[in-house]
Amino acid sequence: MRIDVDPEAAHPTFYRFMTAVVVPRPIAWVSTRSADGVDNLAPHSFFTVSCVRPPILQFTSVGRKDSLRNVEATGEFVINLAPEPLFEQINATGTDFPSEVSEFDAVGLTREPATKVAPPRVAESPVAIECRLHSTVGLGDSTLVLGRVVHAVVNEDVLVDGHPALDLLAPLSRLGRNEWGDPPAVRRIDRIRYADWPDHYRAP
């Protein structure tokens, strides 16, 4: 028996349903700098790749948060990987600190100078991707932020044969309610070429 869920239900009823079933969601740990020079850091769990050539990443700001205001003012941001060992600090940077308070200082994280943008990287994170604003798209109560990747760095100790290894990156994910996902188990399978497709899978 299925139960109907009304997308027009009063907020946050459908939001809670949606974020409980669209899982797991990777986390963009976004560092920005305000026009006044205050460094902000916040986790955003509506995050993905938008384009390969040129490389463009996107995250969504639900409401007008400091991350969005800073990106609009300066046109720059850094997406830091959110690793499992920093679970508590990542969660703490989601606190609604006043705009004049830097989460780097409040949570006790180390700034690392970026190479091509002004906002700092999180030194404790194994991956940082520097972006310049490509565009924004307003969608109801949210804003989609698209950033052109201009530089990226990765810790040598999370590479295996020159490639980032998931078990060493240990990325966290967001689930429903206040639930977080630990780094997942990994299964590997090769993509199937049509020329190699088994006969019993072929369409009649």
Side-chain angles (χ1 to χ4, degrees):
M1 178 179 177
R2 290 182 179 268
I3 297 174
D4 294 321
V5 183
D6 183 5
E8 301 300 326
H11 182 77
T13 301
F14 193 75
Y15 170 81
R16 289 175 177 164
F17 170 80
M18 189 165 55
T19 54
V21 298
V22 182
V23 291
R25 298 187 307 282
I27 299 167
W29 203 13
V30 179
S31 52
T32 58
R33 178 169 288 172
S34 73
D36 295 328
V38 179
D39 296 325
N40 180 267
L41 181 63
H44 295 266
S45 69
F46 295 173
F47 164 54
T48 193
V49 175
S50 299
C51 184
V52 176
R53 294 184 181 180
I56 294 175
L57 301 180
Q58 70 178 59
F59 74 91
T60 297
S61 175
V62 180
R64 292 195 56 78
K65 299 177 181 175
D66 287 341
S67 298
L68 174 61
R69 286 190 287 267
N70 293 348
V71 169
E72 288 177 335
T74 68
E76 297 180 334
F77 60 97
V78 178
I79 294 178
N80 305 274
L81 185 101
E84 189 278 331
L86 299 179
F87 173 50
E88 293 186 0
Q89 291 96 323
I90 295 163
N91 181 61
T93 59
T95 301
D96 57 343
F97 292 106
S99 297
E100 64 271 17
V101 174
S102 172
E103 287 80 2
F104 280 90
D105 301 326
V107 176
L109 291 164
T110 308
R111 293 170 175 82
E112 176 183 81
T115 300
K116 293 190 175 181
V117 298
R121 306 188 296 233
V122 177
E124 293 85 353
S125 173
V127 177
I129 304 173
E130 302 175 17
C131 300
R132 290 200 178 100
L133 180 63
H134 175 276
S135 57
T136 61
V137 180
L139 300 167
D141 67 349
S142 301
T143 302
L144 179 67
V145 179
L146 296 109
R148 169 75 180 264
V149 177
V150 294
H151 191 70
V153 292
V154 58
N155 287 4
E156 186 177 23
D157 59 7
V158 301
L159 300 178
V160 174
D161 297 328
H163 186 76
L166 185 69
D167 59 332
L168 299 177
L169 293 172
L172 288 168
S173 61
R174 284 289 281 122
L175 308 174
R177 295 183 176 177
N178 290 326
E179 301 164 334
W180 296 63
D182 286 331
V186 177
R187 295 195 296 175
R188 291 180 173 84
I189 187 171
D190 292 335
R191 185 169 294 184
I192 303 170
R193 299 188 311 155
Y194 183 71
D196 299 330
W197 197 253
D199 288 341
H200 63 279
Y201 284 131
R202 293 186 186 276

